[in-house]
Amino acid sequence: MKALENNPTARPPTMAGLTIRALRASDIEAVTALINLPGFRFGTLRLPYQTVDETRKRFENAGPGQVNLVAELDDRIVGDAGMMRYLGRRSHAASIGMGVHDDFTGKGIGSALLAELIDMADNWLNIKRLELSVYTDNGAAIALYRRFGFEEEGLLKAFAFRAGGYVDAYAMARVRLKPL
């Protein structure tokens, strides 16, 4: 990952058979199964037992400037990522969220998804600021975001109620004000 540190827009090497592509309507059931996995859900704000209809509504109600990607490995959905551009005076900024299948973490899928989101933000949408929140106990995700140039901007105390207790989160952002 040294190349990423020297060139934040460089793409990480990808695993054989991995494809990053736009979410399709036909993916809704597979994405619902993915986001209901205990490990995936543990790192998000999602409640248990998301229904296919809830996932479908999120897909169908995607606003303008919203990007929804999936990671597909050998015809199986193993990751999900999204970017939502803000409007008006915040049109230079977008929020992102992502997750990887419980059985496929640590294999570069998150890096591949994040690289695609950043490529879209930098080279297609001219987004200057990418924002996210990440639980403070999610060391792997924090390390991933740092490798891609994200920095902690603040601590969000008691950010969410998860598994019977409150958990803190970091507000992180990647700001690119200078041209590439």
Side-chain angles (χ1 to χ4, degrees), residues 87-135:
L87 301 174
R89 292 175 56 185
R90 296 220 58 225
S91 64
H92 68 291
S95 65
I96 64 169
M98 57 186 286
V100 174
H101 190 290
D102 293 11
D103 296 336
F104 293 90
T105 60
K107 299 184 185 314
I109 294 167
S111 292
L113 284 165
L114 189 54
E116 289 301 320
L117 290 176
I118 289 173
D119 178 63
M120 295 222 24
D122 288 352
N123 299 313
W124 296 96
L125 299 171
N126 197 28
I127 292 173
K128 301 296 184 182
R129 178 182 173 84
L130 287 175
E131 303 171 344
L132 60 90
S133 58
V134 58
Y135 295 131

Side-chain angles (χ1 to χ4, degrees), residues 6-161:
N6 297 332
N7 180 2
T9 62
R11 287 218 172 46
T14 57
M15 59 193 311
L18 181 68
T19 302
I20 307 298
R21 61 170 176 77
L23 175 69
R24 300 178 195 138
S26 59
D27 297 327
I28 299 302
E29 287 191 29
V31 169
T32 302
L34 174 72
I35 62 181
N36 278 315
L37 292 171
F40 187 104
R41 184 181 63 241
F42 196 74
T44 73
L45 288 170
R46 297 189 189 286
L47 294 172
Y49 311 112
Q50 173 124 11
T51 68
V52 171
D53 285 339
E54 289 168 326
T55 306
R56 183 176 292 110
K57 285 178 189 170
R58 180 177 59 121
F59 173 70
E60 291 171 349
N61 295 328
Q66 189 164 336
V67 176
N68 292 299
L69 302 177
V70 293
E72 186 177 54
L73 181 63
D74 300 326
D75 298 320
R76 181 177 180 187
I77 303 293
V78 294
D80 174 48
M83 177 171 50
M84 186 182 72
R85 187 176 203 156
Y86 297 117
L87 301 174
R89 292 175 56 185
R90 296 220 58 225
S91 64
H92 68 291
S95 65
I96 64 169
M98 57 186 286
V100 174
H101 190 290
D102 293 11
D103 296 336
F104 293 90
T105 60
K107 299 184 185 314
I109 294 167
S111 292
L113 284 165
L114 189 54
E116 289 301 320
L117 290 176
I118 289 173
D119 178 63
M120 295 222 24
D122 288 352
N123 299 313
W124 296 96
L125 299 171
N126 197 28
I127 292 173
K128 301 296 184 182
R129 178 182 173 84
L130 287 175
E131 303 171 344
L132 60 90
S133 58
V134 58
Y135 295 131
T136 57
D137 62 0
N138 192 343
I142 293 165
L144 170 67
Y145 300 138
R146 285 180 181 152
R147 274 198 317 272
F148 279 85
F150 286 80
E151 298 177 2
E152 290 94 359
E153 293 187 326
L155 175 66
L156 307 168
K157 294 183 180 184
F159 177 73
F161 189 74

